[in-house]
Each structure stands twice: as C-alpha cells, then as structure tokens.
Amino acid sequence: MAKAVVDLPKAALALLFLFLVACAREPEAVIRLDGQTMGTTYHVTLINPGNLHGDELKRQLDYQLQHFNQIASTYIDDSELNTLNRASIGEWLPVSEPLFNILSLAVEVSWLTGGAFDITVAPLVDLWGFGPRKRQGKPSAEEIEAEMAKVGFNRLELDMLEPKLRKTAALQMDLSAIAKGYGVDAAAIWLESLGVTDYLVEIGGEMRVAGKSPRGDAWRIGVENPGADSDAMLAIELGDIAVATSGDYRNYFEEDGVRYSHTIDPRTGSPITHRLASVTVLDASCAFADAMATGFSVLGAERTLKLAEASDIPVYLLEKTEQGFVARYSSAFKPYLPVATPNTAVEGEQ
C-alpha cells in the first residue's frame, strides 16, 4: 500500500494566519510566544528574521486561534462545527474552507485506518464517561448498541466541488483528535509567510519544527516514558517535520478490577484492550500525524506496524509488557533513532 498523500492546501490554511507584521521597536533575536487555545496551551519559539516583534505576533496569533476555535470547537455552542452537528439528517450545508479541509483529511485517515480513526465517535466517548457528559461505570450492551447507531464516518458525505456536507445519520462530529495538529500546521505556514525559517510550534503536545533551534543545531524532543513522571524515554533529533503522540496510560477508570481506557474503538463501541501505551508519529503534516496517532492507538502494535510499513510512516511505539515498557518502531522511523539509552528496550525494525 502506498502512503496516502496528505497535502493540506497552503492557501487555505493561510486564510487563518496570513498577516504581515510591522514594528517600530527593536525586534528580538529569538521570540517565544505562550498562551491558551483549544482547551490546552500553545508554545511557539522562532528565530526572528529581523523585522518581527513578539507582542504583535502574539496578538495576531491569539486572534486567529480564537477564530479557528469558532470554526472547529465542540465547546462553543455557536461554532460552525456545532451548527453542522445540529443540522438535520439529509440536509446539504455549505462548509468553510478550513473546516472542509479538516473534514476531508479526517475521512481520508478513517479509510486508511479501516475506521479506527473516526471523528463521529463522540457519542461513545461521552457514554463511557470521557466526554462532556460525566458518568460513572461501564455502560450496558444496550446503551452501547444505541450509541453505535449514531457513529460512522461513512455516514458523512462531502461534496468536493462546493464544498458542502450532509449527514445520513444523527452524527456528532468531534475534531479533538485532529484540530490541534491542523492548528499547528496553520501557525507554521503563517510564520513561513512572514519569512520565518527557524521555528517550533506546539499546541497541546503536537508540534512542527523547521530549520535550526536557538542553540544553532537541530530541534530535539523527548518521547515520554509512561512508567516515569519526568524522565524522557527517547530523545529524537528532528529536521523539518511534525510530531504527534497519543497515549492511553493516564486517562482511564477501573471497575471490578478491570481497567477501561479513554481510547474508544469506534468499530466496537468499547475501550481498547491491547497493551499499546503510546504512539508517536512523524509526518510533514501535523494534522495527519495527529489523526494517525489516534488511529494507531486504536489498532494496537501489530496492526500499526503492519500499516506503517505498508504506508512508509515513521512511527514509534511503547508497549506495556510484564517486564515494563518495550519500544518498537517502523523502518521509516529508524533514521531518527539515536543510540538507545540505558532505559530503552528496542525491538528493531518490524
């Protein structure tokens, strides 16, 4: 299988973030921006090409991120996404270009993962107590079956010419597993439009880097060890690429000695039961990496590695075993690996 080509239109992404900045004050050599968006935090570090000022950049970035939230958030009642969620079954509705691009990519990843990634899974997440509607305990089989009738990316129709959308079932779309990555891509393209060549953009743990770090060398990140609170398990040196990580080792509940993960398999309606604890995906598109990390988390280690090999996707997995966490990776990830650290068990290429 050839890897799906995902190239979000740069012009469409830049609609949210395309500004020119003019500053009278002396610009900084390195600019760092921090704030909140999408229910989480963002961090941007860039080497100033010589004409930018941090205060003005932050003002514009915050404004555009607020605009993006108004498009894609499920927590803003009158957001464009929630308007679509309330639309009648069978009704064609126009969709803004940024939202349509996200939806198109989401459907593509759903097909690529065989439905393991599905933006319509929200009713099941809510049913299991991991969504806005809090509840305690395991739902009944009847409750799961009832919610499954409201789930299925193949019940979402997109008109690629208009663009517009219609639902063939009472679907509730949630973009939380792809929107942060899309926001990272959009911010990165905006920075590039301003002449920035060296930057790191991070939203909620998903990130994209380009050029050099302020140290003058390549950007480096750490892949977290689920068995430790602070130590990184692996340090990765990056080129111009995006990184997304998904894990199920912190958000769960236990009932009668059984651990229920917050990662719900859209195909079964229930939490995953395999031992894959963490997935890190590299790709030119952070939105693609973000969505694929979620899909891989549902598929489990064996099926993830099979798909990653067939599609030439760099992926790094941490799997829980009786002896602790074991690292596995696809062939495409091997060039990013440093010499294994003492606390890392690596199985090698799959």
Side-chain angles (χ1 to χ4, degrees):
M1 179 192 298
K3 178 181 175 182
V5 177
V6 180
D7 184 13
L8 297 181
K10 290 191 175 183
L13 284 171
L15 287 176
L16 292 179
F17 288 90
L18 189 53
F19 282 73
L20 290 179
V21 180
C23 303
R25 291 173 289 178
E26 185 71 20
E28 306 96 325
V30 177
I31 296 175
R32 292 180 172 85
L33 311 175
D34 303 279
Q36 296 186 339
T37 187
M38 305 183 201
T40 184
T41 59
Y42 73 78
H43 304 278
V44 176
T45 300
L46 62 104
I47 298 177
N48 197 337
N51 61 334
L52 306 177
H53 195 279
D55 291 343
E56 181 63 14
L57 282 177
K58 178 172 169 53
R59 184 188 69 80
Q60 295 180 13
L61 179 59
D62 284 339
Y63 176 82
Q64 296 303 325
L65 288 172
Q66 290 170 11
H67 179 62
F68 181 67
N69 272 322
Q70 187 64 41
I71 292 173
S73 174
T74 56
Y75 290 93
I76 298 175
D77 185 64
D78 63 347
S79 71
E80 183 181 359
L81 182 66
N82 277 335
T83 299
L84 295 176
N85 282 336
R86 288 191 292 265
S88 302
I89 297 173
E91 178 183 4
W92 281 103
L93 290 176
V95 182
S96 69
E97 191 170 5
L99 182 56
F100 192 83
N101 290 332
I102 303 174
L103 295 174
S104 299
L105 177 58
V107 170
E108 183 174 356
V109 173
S110 293
W111 283 114
L112 183 60
T113 60
F117 176 82
D118 193 330
I119 60 171
T120 71
V121 75
L124 292 169
V125 175
D126 204 22
L127 177 66
W128 282 90
F130 297 110
R133 188 184 70 184
K134 300 301 180 183
R135 61 166 288 162
Q136 298 293 325
K138 178 183 176 181
S140 67
E142 292 75 18
E143 288 176 309
I144 294 174
E145 183 179 2
E147 296 305 304
M148 285 288 286
K150 307 172 188 176
V151 174
F153 73 94
N154 56 338
R155 297 168 176 172
L156 187 65
E157 296 183 357
L158 301 177
D159 186 328
M160 305 304 290
L161 299 177
E162 292 287 340
K164 58 185 179 180
L165 166 152
R166 78 174 171 184
K167 304 179 294 182
T168 61
L171 305 178
Q172 295 294 307
M173 296 170 285
D174 187 332
L175 302 178
S176 58
I178 191 173
K180 292 191 296 295
Y182 186 93
V184 168
D185 286 331
I189 291 171
W190 167 63
L191 289 175
E192 291 172 2
S193 76
L194 302 177
V196 178
T197 58
D198 307 284
Y199 61 79
L200 179 150
V201 178
E202 179 264 331
I203 299 177
E206 323 303 358
M207 70 180 69
R208 177 166 158 172
V209 302
K212 300 291 186 182
S213 75
R215 299 182 306 270
D217 56 3
W219 296 95
R220 293 193 297 270
I221 67 162
V223 177
E224 186 179 12
N225 179 354
D229 293 331
S230 59
D231 293 335
M233 193 167 195
L234 183 74
I236 304 172
E237 189 169 281
L238 303 172
D240 295 359
I241 203 163
V243 187
T245 298
S246 178
D248 82 322
Y249 48 90
R250 285 183 174 164
N251 193 4
Y252 62 91
F253 72 86
E254 293 185 359
E255 183 177 289
D256 299 327
V258 179
R259 182 181 182 274
Y260 295 97
S261 165
H262 81 286
T263 302
I264 308 299
D265 188 335
R267 303 163 301 175
T268 66
S270 297
I272 58 173
T273 57
H274 55 69
R275 295 190 172 192
L276 183 55
S278 175
V279 180
T280 297
V281 179
L282 308 183
D283 193 79
S285 161
C286 194
F288 179 77
D290 194 5
M292 288 301 298
T294 298
F296 284 151
S297 292
V298 172
L299 288 176
E302 300 304 328
R303 295 189 65 188
T304 288
L305 289 169
K306 183 177 181 180
L307 178 56
E309 290 297 332
S311 304
D312 195 31
I313 299 174
V315 60
Y316 181 85
L317 312 177
L318 290 174
E319 191 174 18
K320 186 174 177 57
T321 70
E322 298 299 327
Q323 292 73 41
F325 289 95
V326 174
R328 305 173 68 181
Y329 54 87
S330 65
S331 299
F333 197 91
K334 186 177 180 181
Y336 299 94
L337 286 171
V339 176
T341 53
N343 66 333
T344 304
V346 177
E347 289 197 1
E349 301 96 313
Q350 301 300 316

